[in-house]
Amino acid sequence: MGSVRQNLIRSFLVISVLPFIVPVVCADDGYRMWLRYEQVQDAGLLAAYRNAISQVVIEESSPTMLAVKDELEMGLEGLLGRPVAFSTHITGSGALVAGTPSGSPLVASLGLEGRIEVLGADGFLIDQVTVSGNSAVVIAAASDIGVLYGAFHLLRLLQTHQSLSSLPVSSSPRVMHRVVNHWDNIRRLVERGYAGLSLWEWGTLPEYRHPRYTDYARLNASLGINGAAINNVNADARFLTGQFLEKIAVLADIFRPWGIKVYLSANFDSPRIIGGLDTADPLDPQVIEWWNKKAEEIYSYIPDLGGFLVKADSEGQPGPHGYGRDHADGANMLARAVKPFGGIVMWRAFVYDPGRTDRFREAWDEFVPLDGKFMDNVIVQVKNGPIDFQPREPFSPLFGALTNTNTMMEFQVTQEYFGFGIHLAYKGPMYTEILNADTYAAGEGSTVGMILEGKVFDYNLTGMAGVINPGTDRNWTGQPFVQSSWYAFGRLAWDHTLSAEALADEWLRMTFTNDDRFIGTVKEIMFRSREAAVNYRNPLGLTHLYAQGHHYGPAPWTEHHHRPDWGAVYYHRADEQGIGFDRTASGSNAVEQYHEPVASVFRDIERVPEDLLLWFHHVSWDHPMRSGRTLWDELVHKYYEGVKTVRWMQDAWDSVGEFIDRERYEHVRALLKIQERDALRWRNSCVLYFGSFSGKPLPEGLEPPEHDLEHYMDLERIIYVPDPWYGW
Ligand code: BDP
């Protein structure tokens, strides 16, 4: 974090000559993300914090406790605007004590064991205590990692200007495996990444330990993330060879003190590709033996590898089907190989074959018959919706259907379907919409979040994964607000009951400023941004109208003859009568995959939520909507509303420029301009194209599209696609 010290010195100089409360706006390139640790500007709070914490007492010296020490040192010095003394014993009032009862006699003497035990290994407690007449704040946990999470939480309280009188706080994670997934390739191009090259420098590892690796681990650990699958699920088998394992082992060493385990995406055909066998049949003894040996070798490099992540029999990736076997055969073979080392297998359920009736149905149809057949160190990783990370999908019906198979969530943080590294689209509300959805799998209250937590079915492994996009861009994510979705994902993986609003608030305070004038406006921008993204692309339950391949601009006209489910017309099914995909009994009947009463609600055109309408019904253009408009008019209005919101976002952002640094202000401002251009193109393309079916005019009072449909169809070929991985 090279610029931290410089910024601190600058802030200190300004603060020492001016009275408190003068906004200090320093240059910021976004590198520090939400761990900025700028000095607290509120004079009263600053004094209270300085009073409460004037020294830090840490008795333990494990690598993780050294990480705790480093983080507290940097964080407190920044926030309090002065160095804080570190020692192994209390010298007076105002101590911050951090440790575990088993490693710190001081923490053990506080009699907190009972309160700590109930929090589990990763949980923490922060409280005010008195030690020999001195008041102190204690961060206590059963493990060093728990202390680390507590330290980050305390720093977050200070960063967001919380009063310490709200102590005690205690917290523990609701799921076990809180994992980020990288879609990074050996060539360092990041699939759907949009923020530079892969963070992992294969050319200089294992010798060079780029400082960014540690900062990456800190950022994730601050959220409670405890796993990172470092390579693309479209996996290159060479990652499993010694040449790369040696490099990956160094990453694992760097991440370990921060509580982050490395996972590897494994290519199912590795025994053939790098092993010299002529089959990868999961029941073939030679193949089994190959994987057992391979696991042994991998664990000799990385003794605490988390395990494998596998995309099999999906979009051209090899898998057990190629050998006449099923997903359970494939997953269990790998699970047996890693079991002796404590590893697990995250087996993805993102599967769909060409030519079946309805892509929506396929994951459920393939996995439900296998329920109960997976080993207990397998966890099936399911995308939030039945299709593919679209701006709005109903929850995947697999949540609630796998009663005897560990099931985890896969969210996407990177903006594959949300405008890449350019558009502003905070995904927090999308995540909570899914997590809070009630599946009714075991009666009312069986929300997706409760299922993930293992509260509905008896899962022995629980987890949540997020596909993140950091790359070599100085601010890690390209569009700065992608950081907010990463933040929200990580915090929700810790506790799915948190609200997207509270998380936006926290993130803004930590990432930009605590000035309420800024927070109020920008929180609203964030909140409206997701719905805008839905509205200008695919409102009312339309989906996947993207140009195929890169998924940036609109191409609702695309037909794919070999893979109909890779063309947009497959999804919207517009004709002269109406639009939408009939998934009721008269169509694919995918609604039957949901429990009651969800199935009945989705199947009923009068009761289905309107924002999911066209996911489940082919609806006549004249269908009356709740607004009193016809479906056609409503659809067009939604498209126009999307653009209007983006224009509002631009104005709102302009109005708060004075509260933050120029760099990030101007960056976002420029990106919003591009977003407006793109939103217009989406709106005009879709309205003109669908109008060619409905034959209806634009509702009165709306500005007509500037060009005709042919013009917008041409743009699909002409306009540069900002994604080096895709290759334009
Ligand atoms: C799709 C992406 C593709 C991924 C795939 C997956 O377009 O790049 O490989 O998901 O999740 O959304 O496997």
Side-chain angles (χ1 to χ4, degrees):
M1 300 240 149
S3 59
V4 173
R5 308 254 160 205
Q6 276 170 351
N7 281 345
L8 286 176
I9 292 164
R10 248 182 297 168
S11 322
F12 185 74
L13 288 177
V14 177
I15 299 250
S16 48
V17 282
L18 296 174
F20 295 136
I21 315 266
V22 174
V24 181
V25 177
C26 293
D28 199 314
D29 59 12
Y31 181 80
R32 293 172 295 164
M33 299 238 265
W34 50 84
L35 299 180
R36 287 169 80 242
Y37 303 140
E38 293 283 310
Q39 181 173 327
V40 173
Q41 294 292 299
D42 179 303
L45 262 180
L46 181 64
Y49 291 159
R50 284 179 170 178
N51 199 31
I53 303 171
S54 54
Q55 66 158 313
V56 177
V57 179
I58 295 179
E59 292 170 296
E60 295 150 271
S61 57
S62 68
T64 296
M65 289 306 292
L66 291 178
V68 171
K69 186 171 168 281
D70 283 352
E71 198 66 27
L72 286 173
E73 191 168 6
M74 171 164 36
L76 292 173
E77 183 173 340
L79 286 157
L80 305 185
R82 65 173 192 205
V84 175
F86 278 74
S87 71
T88 48
H89 58 279
I90 292 192
T91 54
S93 270
L96 171 65
V97 180
T100 63
S102 55
S104 158
L106 178 55
V107 174
S109 75
L110 299 174
L112 300 170
E113 282 85 344
R115 293 168 69 194
I116 295 170
E117 259 164 35
V118 294
L119 299 170
D122 289 355
F124 60 83
L125 166 74
I126 308 175
D127 202 357
Q128 262 159 336
V129 291
T130 307
V131 186
S132 329
N134 294 313
S135 69
V137 173
V138 62
I139 303 171
S143 70
D144 293 355
I145 293 297
V147 179
L148 179 71
Y149 294 148
F152 276 118
H153 191 86
L154 180 81
L155 290 168
R156 179 158 55 232
L157 295 179
L158 269 51
Q159 285 176 283
T160 56
H161 289 192
Q162 308 288 307
S163 158
L164 293 181
S165 60
S166 60
L167 299 178
V169 300
S170 62
S171 182
S172 26
R174 289 178 186 265
V175 302
M176 295 155 69
H177 298 286
R178 307 175 294 277
V179 182
V180 288
N181 289 184
H182 293 259
W183 287 355
D184 291 19
N185 293 315
I186 271 186
R187 287 196 301 156
R188 297 191 64 208
L189 287 174
V190 181
E191 184 157 342
R192 319 298 185 185
Y194 329 111
L197 291 179
S198 166
L199 294 177
W200 326 129
E201 286 193 1
W202 301 123
T204 57
L205 280 166
E207 284 82 6
Y208 180 50
R209 298 169 170 237
H210 199 300
R212 205 168 38 208
Y213 302 148
T214 304
D215 289 330
Y216 162 86
R218 293 175 48 238
L219 288 159
N220 276 323
S222 75
L223 307 174
I225 298 289
N226 63 2
I230 52 127
N231 60 318
N232 193 353
V233 288
N234 297 320
D236 193 314
R238 290 172 295 181
F239 276 117
L240 303 187
T241 59
Q243 185 188 167
F244 279 90
L245 293 172
E246 200 189 356
K247 301 169 192 290
I248 297 165
V250 169
L251 294 178
D253 288 347
I254 296 171
F255 301 166
R256 191 169 295 113
W258 303 91
I260 294 166
K261 284 187 176 182
V262 165
Y263 293 77
L264 289 171
S265 293
N267 184 305
F268 196 80
D269 265 356
S270 297
R272 293 172 60 181
I273 303 169
I274 53 167
L277 302 186
D278 58 7
T279 176
D281 179 349
L283 302 191
D284 182 301
Q286 271 185 298
V287 172
I288 294 170
E289 183 54 18
W290 187 86
W291 278 110
N292 290 346
K293 283 258 153 57
K294 185 46 81 178
E296 213 178 302
E297 182 194 348
I298 297 172
Y299 277 88
S300 73
Y301 285 95
I302 311 161
D304 57 352
L305 182 91
F308 292 133
L309 169 65
V310 188
K311 171 175 178 176
D313 293 314
S314 165
E315 298 184 330
Q317 291 303 306
H321 288 180
Y323 307 95
R325 314 296 181 190
D326 64 31
H327 287 287
D329 295 327
N332 291 343
M333 183 254 313
L334 292 175
R336 273 188 209 101
V338 294
K339 189 147 185 140
F341 311 97
I344 67 170
V345 172
M346 293 166 169
W347 189 267
R348 296 174 89 228
F350 178 65
V351 295
Y352 59 105
D353 286 337
R356 295 251 199 112
T357 48
D358 178 3
R359 176 173 167 185
F360 189 118
R361 295 192 58 108
E362 292 172 23
W364 193 100
D365 286 345
E366 267 191 52
F367 277 80
V368 170
L370 301 176
D371 189 23
K373 297 201 174 138
F374 291 90
M375 278 178 57
D376 66 358
N377 63 330
V378 175
I379 182 162
V380 172
Q381 183 165 309
V382 181
K383 287 190 182 181
N384 57 272
I387 302 289
D388 189 9
F389 299 141
Q390 296 297 296
R392 173 167 281 120
E393 299 201 28
F395 67 86
S396 163
L398 271 176
F399 296 112
L402 298 174
T403 58
N404 284 307
T405 305
N406 300 320
T407 306
M408 68 188 281
M409 170 65 76
E410 179 175 316
F411 280 128
Q412 194 177 47
V413 171
T414 190
Q415 297 193 157
E416 175 180 357
Y417 294 102
F418 281 83
F420 292 9
I422 293 177
H423 295 195
L424 190 164
Y426 169 52
K427 293 194 189 179
M430 185 178 95
Y431 303 150
T432 52
E433 184 175 293
I434 296 290
L435 294 168
N436 297 331
D438 199 340
T439 69
Y440 286 85
E444 197 175 349
S446 311
T447 62
V448 172
M450 297 296 274
I451 289 173
L452 296 176
E453 203 181 328
K455 287 257 164 81
V456 177
F457 309 121
D458 195 14
Y459 296 157
N460 69 303
L461 297 181
T462 58
M464 234 197 260
V467 182
I468 57 171
N469 79 325
T472 49
D473 274 16
R474 183 67 190 157
N475 75 357
W476 305 81
T477 58
Q479 155 62 261
F481 279 77
V482 175
Q483 298 175 8
S484 68
S485 299
W486 181 351
Y487 184 88
F489 157 72
R491 297 277 287 127
L492 288 165
W494 179 275
D495 182 354
H496 64 82
T497 68
L498 294 170
S499 83
E501 204 244 312
L503 295 175
D505 196 274
E506 274 178 14
W507 178 78
L508 282 171
R509 288 178 191 281
M510 297 165 80
T511 307
F512 286 102
T513 169
N514 274 283
D515 195 313
D516 284 322
R517 290 166 296 180
F518 178 85
I519 300 289
T521 303
V522 183
K523 208 154 65 173
E524 196 177 341
I525 294 178
M526 289 171 73
F527 252 77
R528 295 178 65 180
S529 64
R530 187 277 184 126
E531 208 56 40
V534 172
N535 284 340
Y536 61 73
R537 291 194 184 84
N538 25 228
L540 299 178
L542 286 175
T543 205
H544 223 314
L545 308 180
Y546 296 84
Q548 286 307 305
H550 55 76
H551 302 157
Y552 188 70
W557 41 78
T558 316
E559 271 191 274
H560 200 295
H561 296 292
H562 304 298
R563 285 291 304 248
D565 52 1
W566 284 357
V569 299
Y570 173 91
Y571 295 98
H572 62 69
R573 310 209 159 191
D575 55 28
E576 264 124 61
Q577 280 69 50
I579 184 170
F581 199 129
D582 182 2
R583 295 195 161 98
T584 68
S586 51
S588 74
N589 207 18
V591 283
E592 70 176 348
Q593 296 181 337
Y594 289 98
H595 293 276
E596 287 299 346
V598 182
S600 295
V601 170
F602 285 172
R603 123 176 355 115
D604 183 348
I605 196 168
E606 299 304 330
R607 286 197 294 156
V608 63
E610 279 188 349
D611 52 17
L612 296 177
L613 177 67
L614 304 178
W615 269 101
F616 295 105
H617 298 272
H618 189 76
V619 183
S620 125
W621 294 113
D622 292 323
H623 176 78
M625 301 293 285
R626 280 164 212 149
S627 62
R629 299 189 182 113
T630 62
L631 170 67
W632 165 250
D633 280 8
E634 183 79 0
L635 188 69
V636 177
H637 267 100
K638 287 282 182 196
Y639 274 112
Y640 276 72
E641 213 173 292
V643 171
K644 206 168 134 196
T645 308
V646 174
R647 288 178 173 153
W648 171 85
M649 283 160 57
Q650 288 180 293
D651 291 343
W653 184 255
D654 284 353
S655 76
V656 294
E658 65 188 288
F659 302 115
I660 62 166
D661 54 285
R662 283 313 312 152
E663 286 85 343
R664 289 181 299 169
Y665 170 69
E666 294 293 354
H667 187 197
V668 172
R669 188 159 187 267
L671 295 179
L672 282 169
K673 230 180 181 157
I674 308 171
Q675 184 168 1
E676 187 210 2
R677 182 203 68 194
D678 291 344
L680 261 174
R681 180 178 154 212
W682 265 96
R683 181 195 82 184
N684 293 344
S685 302
C686 293
V687 164
L688 287 168
Y689 172 72
F690 292 131
S692 72
F693 292 95
S694 78
K696 295 182 187 295
L698 214 60
E700 259 175 50
L702 301 178
E703 57 178 2
E706 226 182 312
H707 304 284
D708 61 12
L709 180 58
E710 281 65 44
H711 170 88
Y712 292 104
M713 290 176 78
D714 271 353
L715 293 186
E716 189 193 345
R717 270 189 309 110
I718 297 164
I719 287 199
Y720 169 71
V721 176
D723 179 5
W725 171 79
Y726 174 73
W728 183 64

